[in-house]
Amino acid sequence: MTIDESGVAHKKEVVDKKNVVDKNASMPFEFTSADEPTTEQRPNPHAKESTNVQATVDALKARFGDAIVDVTLYANEHTVRIQKSVIAEVCRHLRDELGFTFLVDLGGADRFTEDERYEVFYNIVNVKAGKRIRLKVRVDEDELTVPTVMYIYPGANWNEREVFDMLGIRFDGHEDMRRVYLPEDFEYYPLRKEFPQLGIPGSLPLPPRSPEAGLTWDPFAAAHQGPTIKSYQEPKSADEDQE
Amino acid sequence: MGLDKALGDGFLTTRVDTVVNWARSNSLMPMPMGLACCAIEMMAFAAPKYDVARFGSEAMRFSPRQADLMIVAGWCSYKMAHAIRRIWDQMPDPKWCISMGACASTGGMHRCYGVVQGIDNFLPVDVYIPGCPPRPEALIHALMDIQEKIRNDYSLAQDYTSGSPAELTAPTI
């Protein structure tokens, strides 16, 4: 027992560093850039064999050469970054020659960087072989267009429209480049980082508060103008009479 | 009219009112505006276990022209709001509205650009139900509140109590 300055007695803590179990040791953050890369090779418990497509990546490299910008292997998943001008040819080659017939997902991301700010990704599956590949395309802010793949994978149609709706990236050759979720006359792209999450007041109208009135542009009309009232006069209730 | 004198002013109309309001309150036909997970609770409310048929409201009407109670269940986007208001305008008078759940009442956890922060911004709501989602009992309680409101309403006698019919035009906003 020891007594510290405030006079509180407490047990002396003896720490044997060798016997202390580090609770975080089972889940090390070995992939964050802040950490030094470890030399020790541990198997990733989430890694799957189906996402390692070295043969396909080699075939793409042999066919397209310099158009393949970067290949990364993270958690046993291959990600192939390619130049955006060849995305349609790469997809057609993957579908016709390499058996990747199913586009699972297509979406966009705002990386909020100076160069090549936006990114569009394509997750494609070879159903027969049970293999998955991820393609990525970077888009610069000055030229927000990507060639469409909706004629190769028709399922890309609405996904590309969603990317256009949320990020404002246009898809060249898309036959129906309209918004999906938001009204046609909405002027902003909400998934861009500079868009305020709470929205821009006056950008989306509410319906009229009575059959005769016009659109409501105040998003908090009930708080500012009073509650919405019925278009017919409600009879007085017995309670109101008593008051 | 000897009968009028014998029964007093307004005797007949108030008796008719009682009958009309009793019938109206026990045969509310809800228009189920199910937008999200609250709609699942609304289905339970209509299903045999909670059995809203005990209150005479088991006939869900998917046509607004046959409905007189709108139950807005779930979060409402700005794009959907226009459709809801159009359906509301198609419902015949008199009509009532229940805002079911936190999202319909205030926007709930969806404090973002696309979700209306409370349907009372464009609909005249009679009863709000808190909860996420509310239990079917809470919806039944809201229905009973609407029934109480209807039973306490004047209808035929309002000409005598609220002034002349010329004053009873629809309010403008």
Side-chain angles (χ1 to χ4, degrees):
Chain A
M1 298 285 278
T2 56
I3 296 175
D4 63 7
E5 290 168 352
S6 58
V8 179
H10 55 88
K11 283 183 182 175
K12 193 177 182 182
E13 290 182 8
V14 180
V15 179
D16 186 2
K17 298 234 169 168
K18 286 178 185 171
N19 293 332
V20 171
V21 179
D22 186 3
K23 287 177 183 172
N24 298 323
S26 58
M27 287 294 283
F29 294 103
E30 59 184 280
F31 293 110
T32 52
S33 55
D35 293 346
E36 288 294 316
T38 56
T39 52
E40 185 188 358
Q41 289 292 321
R42 277 193 228 86
N44 188 324
H46 307 293
K48 294 186 180 67
E49 201 50 47
S50 61
T51 49
N52 193 326
V53 282
Q54 190 61 49
T56 310
V57 171
D58 291 342
L60 284 180
K61 272 183 180 167
R63 170 77 171 74
F64 292 98
D66 289 343
I68 310 292
V69 179
D70 188 22
V71 178
T72 52
L73 185 66
Y74 167 76
N76 213 28
E77 293 179 13
H78 266 118
T79 302
V80 183
R81 192 150 64 80
I82 56 182
Q83 284 176 8
K84 74 175 183 184
S85 53
V86 297
I87 178 67
E89 287 81 40
V90 170
C91 284
R92 190 178 293 280
H93 185 70
L94 276 170
R95 187 194 67 177
D96 294 342
E97 311 294 331
L98 303 173
F100 284 81
T101 51
F102 178 32
L103 179 90
V104 181
D105 198 8
L106 188 163
D110 183 359
R111 306 182 322 118
F112 211 52
T113 52
E114 286 287 327
D115 305 323
E116 298 184 317
R117 179 172 161 185
Y118 300 101
E119 196 167 66
V120 181
F121 65 86
Y122 305 74
N123 290 337
I124 312 177
V125 163
N126 184 339
V127 180
K128 276 185 185 167
K131 290 288 186 187
R132 291 168 178 271
I133 193 169
R134 183 186 300 120
L135 305 181
K136 276 185 178 177
V137 159
R138 288 207 175 148
V139 189
D140 203 71
E141 209 169 358
D142 301 330
E143 197 190 354
L144 281 173
T145 53
V146 178
T148 182
V149 296
M150 70 165 286
Y151 297 103
I152 299 151
Y153 300 112
N157 188 340
W158 280 22
N159 290 67
E160 289 182 349
R161 281 177 62 187
E162 185 190 351
V163 173
F164 168 64
D165 193 357
M166 289 292 149
L167 292 169
I169 299 170
R170 292 195 157 270
F171 286 84
D172 273 346
H174 194 289
E175 66 178 17
D176 189 21
M177 199 81 260
R178 286 181 298 133
R179 282 179 177 273
V180 177
Y181 301 125
L182 287 154
E184 272 295 295
D185 53 355
F186 189 60
E187 294 173 355
Y188 307 96
Y189 298 106
L191 235 51
R192 288 188 180 176
K193 294 286 187 204
E194 77 267 16
F195 184 84
Q197 203 209 341
L198 304 187
I200 295 168
S203 59
L204 281 169
L206 278 168
R209 306 184 83 204
S210 74
E212 297 83 21
L215 293 173
T216 312
W217 291 94
D218 183 3
F220 299 101
H224 297 154
Q225 303 166 24
T228 314
I229 48 178
K230 291 183 178 173
S231 52
Y232 62 97
Q233 177 158 351
E234 284 194 300
K236 281 183 190 169
S237 71
D239 295 346
E240 287 173 35
D241 275 2
Q242 286 167 7
E243 285 167 3
Chain B
M1 291 292 197
L3 191 63
D4 269 356
K5 280 182 181 170
L7 298 175
D9 281 346
F11 177 82
L12 194 63
T13 47
T14 49
R15 293 305 105 179
V16 170
D17 264 357
T18 307
V19 174
V20 167
N21 290 341
W22 169 81
R24 203 176 250 167
S25 64
N26 285 305
S27 62
L28 279 168
M29 292 196 176
M31 162 89 218
M33 183 54 68
L35 301 171
C37 33
C38 280
I40 307 296
E41 300 298 309
M42 188 168 59
M43 285 183 237
F45 146 90
K49 182 165 180 181
Y50 293 96
D51 196 17
V52 78
R54 294 175 291 157
F55 302 88
S57 298
E58 77 278 12
M60 295 278 183
R61 290 301 179 199
F62 293 91
S63 161
R65 291 172 204 283
Q66 298 171 355
D68 55 3
L69 169 67
M70 182 185 263
I71 304 174
V72 182
W75 62 274
C76 165
S77 68
Y78 278 85
K79 212 171 175 181
M80 191 70 198
H82 295 265
I84 295 175
R85 178 71 210 196
R86 178 173 284 197
I87 289 169
W88 171 260
D89 284 339
Q90 289 178 38
M91 285 166 57
D93 297 341
K95 53 196 173 183
W96 296 273
C97 178
I98 293 177
S99 166
M100 181 180 180
C103 303
S105 303
T106 67
M109 64 175 180
H110 303 284
R111 181 66 189 94
C112 68
Y113 63 93
V115 178
V116 178
Q117 302 298 304
I119 59 162
D120 53 359
N121 285 313
F122 64 94
L123 277 187
V125 179
D126 291 300
V127 179
Y128 300 86
I129 314 175
C132 184
R135 289 187 60 85
E137 292 100 320
L139 186 51
I140 289 174
H141 186 248
L143 185 82
M144 289 165 71
D145 280 352
I146 295 266
Q147 287 183 332
E148 194 182 334
K149 180 171 184 174
I150 295 170
R151 286 183 191 130
N152 285 329
D153 274 357
Y154 298 93
S155 53
L156 301 177
Q158 68 176 350
D159 286 359
Y160 300 98
T161 56
S162 304
S164 67
E167 294 170 15
L168 293 177
T169 50
T172 52
I173 296 174

